[in-house]
Amino acid sequence: MTAQGTIVEDEGSAIFALAAELYPICRSITGDGVRETLAVLGRHVPIETTEVPTGDAVFDWTIPREWNIREAYIEHESGRRIVDMRNSNLHVMSYSAPVRTTMSLSELKPHIHTLPAQPDLIPYRTSYYAENWGFCMAHRDFEALSEGSYRVVIDSTLANGSLTYGEFFLRGEREDEILLSGHVCHPSLANDNCSGLALLTRLAQELSRRKTRYSYRFVFAPGTIGAIAWLARNETRVARITAGLVLSCVGDGGGPTYKRSRRGDAFVDDVMTHVVRHMAPSGSIIDFSPYGYDERQYCSPGFNLPVGLFQRSLFGTFPEYHTSADNLDFIKPEHLAESYRMIRAAIDVFEHNAAFVNLAPKCEPQLGRRGLYAGVGGDKDAPANNMAMLWVLNLSDGTHTLLDIAKRADMPFERIRLAAERLAANGLLAPKA
Ligand code: ZN
């Protein structure tokens, strides 16, 4: 393995370790779980948090009451706890109102959610905007419940408070921004979205050590309402967003999948299509649809931002999705590393894409005389590198960018960029004025 390869594999392990640290935290769209999550991420990069008060109007929505939970369990009259949130925070339906009562099995049953088709898994359920309470459990355990009375306790609070989101901003040479966004509201689900939050945080850390052309804005917000609140608070600034990606489910072995922005032909769509094609031939590019993650808000018609969604397996298509099987065994460092590599490759395109001008455009310049034309037979990359130089020279008439050339040559952007660098170093190419 090359040194570069080793660095990225290590990155996969580091992302995994951070995802594992986030995994046990009981998150929801508001509450201390979100704050604790942002505090963990904040140990790696300085995250600025914003608290949006309960009752604030954000476009057509209202910030709900803040939800916090301390414990939740169901105890049979025999004293046996049949469900305990301490074993999995998926056991309690998110946003459950407080309950402390005793009831019969038949009264309790309508409040229990299971997955009959996946009888060993606990489902993930929420009830954010309709006050309710509920538990989730494995169908197999549900079927084994015996008659009798049950003590039901949900020690939660639904009270005026706030919704919390976090941002990390990295100033580049330009004011134009690349937006990178992940939802921070799911409880113990590893792929969806501890993986995305961990990857974004490690990426933010890496970028903060570089000088960048673009400014980078990382948004860690609760799904839907958090992204809506962020957009409501930043409406005047979003015109600076040149490209954006929502990241979730980046650690499983499927895909990868890129879902285009609503525009369909934005720069980010071009870049991600190129990256997926060259780095993951098994990957797929799908069209925008108004369902999914926060690209739904960023791509709503009043904003229509150039923001796409990057995932490995597409949400809703894998059996582990929104169940207790989306755990730390489901995500792997090597898949996280590959996702990281792809997002980094996309950033390399954002950072380095430009148009150049061939300074010796009349016939081909003599590359051999300059030591640029590598002989065939030695370096196995030589023929491809030679072709890359010929493509760059031929298409660098000031109208084609390096990405245009990479697409036309059907070569990875990196190879084209390095060819352009070599040609520029030898006085054959100059940036377009
Ligand atoms: Zn989800």
Side-chain angles (χ1 to χ4, degrees), residues 274 277-278 383-395 400-417 419:
H274 178 79
R277 178 167 301 155
H278 283 277
N385 287 337
N386 290 342
M387 272 311 289
M389 278 189 295
L390 295 178
W391 274 112
V392 172
L393 286 168
N394 190 281
L395 290 178
H400 300 95
T401 66
L402 296 181
L403 181 60
D404 295 333
I405 299 171
K407 283 163 62 184
R408 184 111 171 238
D410 196 22
M411 286 185 179
F413 179 85
E414 180 70 0
R415 191 182 294 281
I416 294 292
R417 178 174 81 79

Side-chain angles (χ1 to χ4, degrees), residues 124 183 185-186 189 192-193 248-249 293 315 321-322:
Y124 164 51
H183 60 271
C185 53
H186 286 32
L189 296 168
D192 181 13
N193 189 28
S248 76
C249 304
Y293 287 101
F315 63 87
Y321 179 74
H322 282 190

Side-chain angles (χ1 to χ4, degrees), residues 38 41-42 45-51 164-169 217-220 230 234 237:
L38 295 175
L41 303 183
V45 283
I47 288 179
E48 189 181 313
T49 59
T50 300
E51 301 281 348
T164 315
Y165 64 73
E167 276 177 276
F168 171 63
F169 180 68
R217 188 176 297 279
F218 292 79
V219 174
F220 304 101
W230 184 84
N234 292 278
R237 297 215 313 239

Side-chain angles (χ1 to χ4, degrees), residues 351-392:
E351 288 292 311
H352 299 291
N353 193 37
F356 288 85
V357 179
N358 179 347
L359 300 176
K362 291 184 175 164
C363 301
E364 290 177 1
Q366 202 179 353
L367 297 177
R369 175 162 65 80
R370 296 175 171 88
L372 287 171
Y373 207 79
V376 220
D379 179 4
K380 69 173 170 44
D381 288 335
N385 287 337
N386 290 342
M387 272 311 289
M389 278 189 295
L390 295 178
W391 274 112
V392 172

